[in-house]
Amino acid sequence: MILTLLAAVIFGTAALAEAPLRVRVSAEPSTLDWSVGSSGFESMAILNIMEGLSELDESLQIKPRLASRWEVLEGGRLYRFHLRSGVNWSDGVPLKAADFVYSWKRLADPRTSSPYREYLTDVDVARAVSDTVLEVRLKRPVPYFPELLSFWVTFPQREDLVLKYGAAWTEPKNLVTLGPYRLAEWQKGVRLRFSRNEQYAEAMQRPAEVHAVTVPDWANALERMVHGDLDVLQDASQLDMVSKHGAKNLRFLSFKYLAVHYLGFNHKSRWFKDREARFAVAAAINRKTLVASMGRGDIMASSLVPVGLWAYDEDLGIRYDLAEARKAWAAARSRGGPGAAGPLRFCSIAGRFQEAAVATGEMLQRGLGLKAELVVAAPAAINAMIQRGECDLFLKSWGADYPDPATFMDLLVSSSNLSRTGWVNGEYDKLVRNAGDTPARAERSEYYKIAQKIAVNGEIALVPLYYPQITALVGARVADIYVDPLQYLFFKRVRLR
């Protein structure tokens, strides 16, 4: 009897340790093609099943990953990457330098329809010198080029599998990857199940299996967290913790995040062609009140580049001034802009974004008498509406793809297909281009600050609202977890009790 009970305790504990890590996601990835994915819903999956030539450590310093080392030649115009030995795809096939060449060509191919098609625009030629050596010639020196290669759109791809399966190459039964996990199953609308990749070269302690559980409704997700059906719930607030004060098994964690949540204008809409109308909206929003109402420790925004990156400028931004906002709104209306095009459509992604959108809409209604039609939907639907120009105003987020201000400044460059505002400004484009051609950080920072002044205070291309913080509730099973400032949750860094 004693032996039986002892065995039950021992094996019960082991079973608990091997139980899957359960992470809530509010929406599923729109794709697992890392040439096409563009949101955090894709990144959680892609960054755990794939890796790149470089990666960022916890202090955001760049270090080799699939490359063992690299050489910088010809004044920064030539990079030579030496691949790590012993790296295999999950089907046992060795990684080759040609896998990067194919991936990068496919990224730039208009037929791929990647929103990041111009991400490697500074690459002149990439070629496989051998199976283990990749040589990259740049059009100009890019001091942050190794940082660029930590982003998923640069990860290698297997040409043979893309050609064999076509659009179905990312289906779980066909998908071949080389990260610490592989996608074992995707139950649409329910969960993505990740299992350890046995071909992964680096031995480490990590959860054997991870379930990314789809729970769109926040209240439902919070209840499931409290009842122990989830282990990690991101985007929580201190208010959530207070409301569930009886849940002693939960911990509230906060991490720094390089991101900006902003209010975007459709500059082709009759509502916001007039700068006075854009100024009125910007000046009618009390960002301090907005941040406090959400209770997540977010920071009021000023510039497009967030706190934590050089080129951040605390002196930018339209200040809250309701009297000036109303005066500007009346002037714009007198010229026949706002209101002449029918109801204003304000678009927001469902979930926690919606909270900020509702609060912002209420401020505009109280301050300007502006009653907007709030449209809330899943990320893919809202992004499609914005791209088609169906939103007059929209709440969006931009997080760093790599730790350099360029990742934020490129958002508003006229040639970028990442910008959805329709705003075009030649002087802004020139300043950003000059910054890219300048190796010295101080000079680059000055270019960026002048450009931001044009976009944020001068033309008011958009309104930076706040810099979000990464927050999470974690359950008792989670001993250690870290979400980096790019909001990447690497399952391999999670430790369970």
Side-chain angles (χ1 to χ4, degrees):
M1 179 70 172
I2 293 175
L3 288 175
T4 302
L5 289 173
L6 181 59
V9 170
I10 291 172
F11 289 113
T13 302
L16 180 63
E18 290 299 316
L21 171 69
R22 300 156 302 173
V23 180
R24 179 259 188 168
V25 292
S26 61
E28 294 182 318
S30 59
T31 178
L32 289 180
D33 181 345
W34 47 92
S35 293
V36 178
S38 62
S39 77
F41 303 107
E42 285 84 54
S43 70
M44 178 177 285
I46 292 168
L47 289 168
N48 285 291
I49 61 176
M50 282 300 298
E51 291 181 331
L53 287 167
S54 63
E55 71 175 359
L56 299 164
D57 64 18
E58 293 191 5
S59 59
L60 293 185
Q61 298 302 305
I62 200 69
K63 66 177 185 178
R65 185 65 234 166
L66 294 180
S68 61
R69 61 186 177 90
W70 56 77
E71 304 159 59
V72 185
L73 308 167
E74 298 183 12
R77 291 181 179 270
L78 182 67
Y79 282 76
R80 188 172 295 137
F81 296 91
H82 300 264
L83 302 189
R84 271 197 303 129
S85 61
V87 177
N88 293 331
W89 293 88
S90 54
D91 63 354
V93 174
L95 172 68
K96 297 179 180 179
D99 297 334
F100 289 95
V101 176
Y102 171 71
S103 175
W104 296 6
K105 286 182 177 178
R106 184 171 176 268
L107 175 68
D109 189 334
R111 293 172 297 180
T112 305
S113 299
S114 172
Y116 285 100
R117 187 172 67 247
E118 298 181 1
Y119 187 79
L120 293 176
T121 189
D122 288 314
V123 173
D124 188 15
V125 178
R127 69 186 187 100
V129 177
S130 67
D131 283 350
T132 60
V133 178
L134 173 69
E135 196 169 84
V136 184
R137 182 170 294 280
L138 302 180
K139 299 173 186 175
R140 60 173 185 169
V142 180
Y144 51 91
F145 186 64
E147 282 85 349
L148 287 176
L149 302 183
S150 66
F151 187 49
W152 68 73
V153 299
T154 70
F155 292 176
Q157 291 176 358
R158 290 270 296 278
E159 182 177 12
D160 59 326
L161 298 178
V162 176
L163 294 178
K164 179 178 179 180
Y165 296 113
W169 76 273
T170 57
E171 293 294 321
K173 63 181 180 180
N174 303 327
L175 187 59
V176 175
T177 53
L178 47 64
Y181 289 87
R182 61 181 184 83
L183 181 61
E185 180 188 27
W186 186 353
Q187 291 180 266
K188 296 294 178 72
V190 180
R191 70 177 185 184
L192 288 87
R193 181 168 65 86
F194 301 90
S195 297
R196 284 179 186 157
N197 176 12
E198 299 305 326
Q199 292 286 339
Y200 192 63
E202 186 177 339
M204 59 173 58
Q205 179 189 358
R206 63 187 192 275
E209 190 165 288
V210 180
H211 295 176
V213 184
T214 305
V215 188
D217 180 70
W218 176 259
N220 184 14
L222 188 55
E223 284 301 317
R224 293 180 67 170
M225 188 75 199
V226 170
H227 289 103
D229 297 327
L230 293 170
D231 299 305
V232 181
L233 177 60
Q234 292 196 69
D235 296 328
S237 71
Q238 290 280 19
L239 300 178
D240 294 321
M241 199 66 179
V242 171
S243 69
K244 299 296 179 184
H245 63 275
K248 304 297 184 182
N249 59 322
L250 302 182
R251 287 181 293 147
F252 178 83
L253 302 177
S254 179
F255 307 92
K256 292 180 180 179
Y257 188 17
L258 294 178
V260 59
H261 285 197
Y262 64 90
L263 200 60
F265 298 106
N266 178 353
H267 286 249
K268 296 178 181 178
S269 164
R270 287 182 65 182
W271 278 95
F272 296 116
K273 284 184 177 180
D274 192 324
R275 181 194 178 276
E276 290 294 286
R278 301 194 298 274
F279 173 84
V281 167
I285 298 171
N286 188 327
R287 288 167 292 172
K288 183 177 181 180
T289 300
L290 177 66
V291 165
S293 70
M294 293 185 291
R296 289 194 293 270
D298 301 326
I299 301 169
M300 286 174 51
S302 52
S303 60
L304 179 60
V305 176
V307 173
L309 284 179
W310 52 272
Y312 160 70
D313 192 339
E314 65 180 356
D315 295 324
L316 292 181
I318 305 299
R319 302 295 181 245
Y320 173 63
D321 189 328
L322 204 50
E324 288 298 314
R326 287 170 174 164
K327 185 192 302 183
W329 190 247
R333 286 181 65 88
S334 71
R335 289 191 285 270
L344 183 145
R345 180 176 284 179
F346 182 14
C347 300
S348 171
I349 294 172
R352 301 301 270 187
F353 267 100
Q354 185 176 347
E355 181 183 0
V358 169
T360 300
E362 289 174 350
M363 288 182 185
L364 296 179
Q365 184 171 359
R366 287 195 305 268
L368 303 177
L370 174 58
K371 188 173 183 179
E373 174 197 353
L374 182 60
V375 179
V376 178
I382 289 297
N383 289 334
M385 288 181 65
I386 294 172
Q387 189 169 2
R388 292 193 298 264
E390 296 172 3
C391 303
D392 303 298
L393 193 64
F394 51 88
L395 186 66
K396 286 279 284 182
S397 173
W398 188 257
D401 296 330
Y402 50 92
D404 189 278
T407 189
F408 291 93
M409 301 302 297
D410 287 348
L411 180 66
L412 288 174
V413 170
S414 304
S415 61
S416 171
N417 57 351
L418 294 171
S419 173
R420 304 302 187 201
T421 63
W423 181 69
V424 176
N425 185 284
E427 183 63 21
Y428 179 92
D429 293 349
K430 182 180 178 181
L431 287 162
V432 173
R433 187 166 57 250
N434 288 345
D437 290 335
T438 305
R441 177 175 290 189
E443 292 179 49
R444 287 183 68 208
S445 182
E446 190 60 29
Y447 280 127
Y448 283 152
K449 287 186 176 183
I450 296 172
Q452 288 185 93
K453 190 171 183 178
I454 292 172
V456 176
N457 283 55
E459 293 280 324
I460 317 179
L462 47 72
V463 182
L465 293 177
Y466 57 93
Y467 306 126
Q469 300 299 290
I470 300 169
T471 57
L473 289 178
V474 298
R477 294 181 60 238
V478 179
D480 190 26
I481 187 171
Y482 173 73
V483 185
D484 76 11
L486 277 63
Q487 205 184 23
Y488 296 160
L489 170 58
F490 294 99
F491 302 153
K492 68 180 183 180
R493 295 182 183 175
V494 177
R495 297 292 176 265
L496 299 177
R497 298 187 194 281

